[in-house]
Amino acid sequence: MPITRLSLTDFRSYADALIAPGPGFVVLTGDNGAGKTNVLEAISLLTPGRGLRGTALSEMARHGGAGGFGVSARLGSGDSSVELGTGTLAAQPERRVVRINGATASAAALGEWLSLVWLTPAQDRLFAESAGSRRRFLDRLVLALDPGHAHDSSRYEAAMRQRNRLLAGERPDAEWLAALEAAMVEHGQAIAARRAALIDSLGQRLADTPTGPFARAGLALDGFDAGADFVRALAGGRSRDAAANRTLTGPHRQDLIVTHLDKGVAAASSSTGEQKALLIGIILAHAELVAEAHGRRPLLLLDEVAAHLDPVRRTALFDRLATGGGQVWLTGTEREPFEAIGTNASWLAVENGAIRPD
């Protein structure tokens, strides 16, 4: 369901903002630093995780505000609508509060109602950065297909942190270690299986896509063998992990390997423009995959996506997004690059912490 109402309170640059967008394109324009990306970040908090910037919750509260912040949204309309809300209280700036239709809920439960994927300028060099960045990108794609991924990821991380703390002690309890490792295996195998399934289905869709304005990506996973005996690897690696002060095997060590199919080279060796085209191609193919699986596309947040695209690629992007349907939020400093969208859009101007129809 699209967002039909978005409210921000003391979030980043906004003391109070209210948006009532339409179901298709939502275009926010304004100068650099006006607060366009802040709107996308607020929306990204309506799913599990720390949002598209990944910063601490306390950093999201407006300077000079009450100390906490609130983000709420209505999805859909009428009897089929749902109200999602999240934020923090001044007394507990790092404790996230989540409500669904007014009732307290877990952050993982948000994924049952809203699936979204984002693309930001910070991801332009994703393929040349750390494996962790690519892994988080991959998990966001998985989460849009299967909300249960958030639960397994949080339980796996919690068990691994406890195991690491236990191994740091002088005489760790063997039974406790075994229990924690069993939890890591249970949730870790679920994580790895979902990732592998996505790589297979998304990779096949990309390979079958005709050559066009956006480069086709080849996808693979590296760094963890899901078919290996994970239980034995954890138990046998306790001394090594204790010395390293971290767990050295598991799905948290996986990496997303991307290649430029048409050139047969690693994405990291491609030009910046080609890497951007590869990312866009992945996002578009993934949105179509989600639409087939769930009957609806994920909500897309595309920050400054048109900035480095030539007119041909921009038009191709907007045409493909329009054909696929669903709600797409776009930002840019000027309106001109988005003119090809036409009248099928909610046009919003952002300036000095305020948002108005444009």
Side-chain angles (χ1 to χ4, degrees):
M1 292 186 289
I3 293 175
T4 53
R5 181 182 182 275
L6 178 68
S7 175
L8 313 181
T9 303
D10 280 336
F11 181 80
R12 295 287 190 183
S13 54
Y14 298 99
D16 186 24
L18 180 65
I19 305 174
F25 290 101
V26 184
V27 184
L28 298 101
T29 59
D31 294 338
N32 290 327
K36 304 182 298 295
T37 304
N38 292 345
V39 176
L40 303 192
E41 182 183 29
I43 296 171
S44 73
L45 292 175
L46 296 171
T47 58
R50 287 295 181 94
L52 60 81
R53 285 190 175 108
T55 57
L57 291 171
S58 58
E59 296 180 19
M60 301 178 192
R62 184 175 66 91
H63 293 298
F69 71 86
V71 176
S72 64
R74 178 185 297 127
L75 307 184
S77 59
D79 294 338
S80 62
S81 66
V82 61
E83 299 279 347
L84 306 182
T86 190
T88 62
L89 302 175
Q92 297 176 301
E94 288 297 343
R95 181 178 178 273
R96 185 177 181 184
V97 178
V98 174
R99 290 190 174 88
I100 300 177
N101 285 333
T104 301
S106 68
L110 291 169
E112 299 288 341
W113 297 99
L114 180 63
S115 62
L116 59 84
V117 176
W118 55 77
L119 191 58
T120 70
Q123 293 173 297
D124 285 354
R125 297 292 294 171
L126 180 72
F127 306 125
E129 293 179 347
S130 68
S133 297
R134 290 184 291 278
R135 197 162 49 245
R136 287 188 292 274
F137 173 73
L138 172 62
D139 283 336
R140 177 56 53 185
L141 301 182
V142 175
L143 184 62
L145 273 167
D146 190 339
H149 194 63
H151 171 75
D152 283 308
S153 296
S154 63
R155 301 322 304 156
Y156 177 84
E157 292 290 337
M160 183 171 63
R161 286 194 300 269
Q162 291 182 58
R163 177 180 182 269
N164 290 342
R165 284 196 295 268
L166 198 59
L167 287 174
E170 292 185 4
R171 301 179 68 178
D173 184 286
E175 291 187 6
W176 191 5
L177 275 174
L180 291 171
E181 289 168 354
M184 288 179 65
V185 170
E186 176 188 353
H187 298 293
Q189 288 179 337
I191 291 168
R194 288 194 191 96
R195 288 175 179 168
L198 174 70
I199 291 300
D200 287 344
S201 55
L202 184 56
Q204 188 60 56
R205 177 172 290 273
L206 287 163
D208 292 343
T209 300
T211 302
F214 300 109
R216 299 184 305 156
L219 308 177
L221 287 171
D222 190 25
F224 174 67
D225 182 2
D229 191 337
F230 193 15
V231 175
R232 182 174 297 179
L234 288 171
R238 290 174 183 174
S239 297
R240 178 199 61 190
D241 293 349
N245 199 32
R246 64 185 187 277
T247 301
L248 296 175
T249 186
H252 65 287
R253 304 283 290 181
Q254 279 187 311
D255 192 2
L256 173 63
I257 308 301
V258 181
T259 57
H260 191 312
L261 278 181
D262 299 314
K263 290 192 172 182
V265 299
S269 301
S270 301
S271 69
T272 301
E274 287 174 329
Q275 291 184 21
K276 183 86 168 187
L278 285 166
L279 271 173
I280 292 174
I282 291 172
I283 293 293
L284 293 174
H286 173 265
E288 293 163 359
L289 196 65
V290 174
E292 284 187 4
H294 299 308
R296 56 180 172 82
R297 288 165 65 97
L299 190 148
L300 300 180
L301 308 178
L302 306 179
D303 191 18
E304 300 286 353
V305 71
H308 302 295
L309 296 179
D310 57 53
V312 172
R313 281 198 172 98
R314 281 203 302 267
T315 301
L317 172 62
F318 299 148
D319 286 346
R320 192 163 169 186
L321 290 171
T323 300
Q327 194 175 57
V328 183
W329 293 66
L330 304 119
T331 69
T333 55
E334 299 176 339
R335 181 167 172 148
E336 188 275 331
F338 303 103
E339 292 294 348
I341 292 174
T343 58
N344 182 30
S346 298
W347 296 89
L348 302 170
V350 181
E351 185 178 9
N352 297 327
I355 305 171
R356 59 175 175 78
D358 184 15

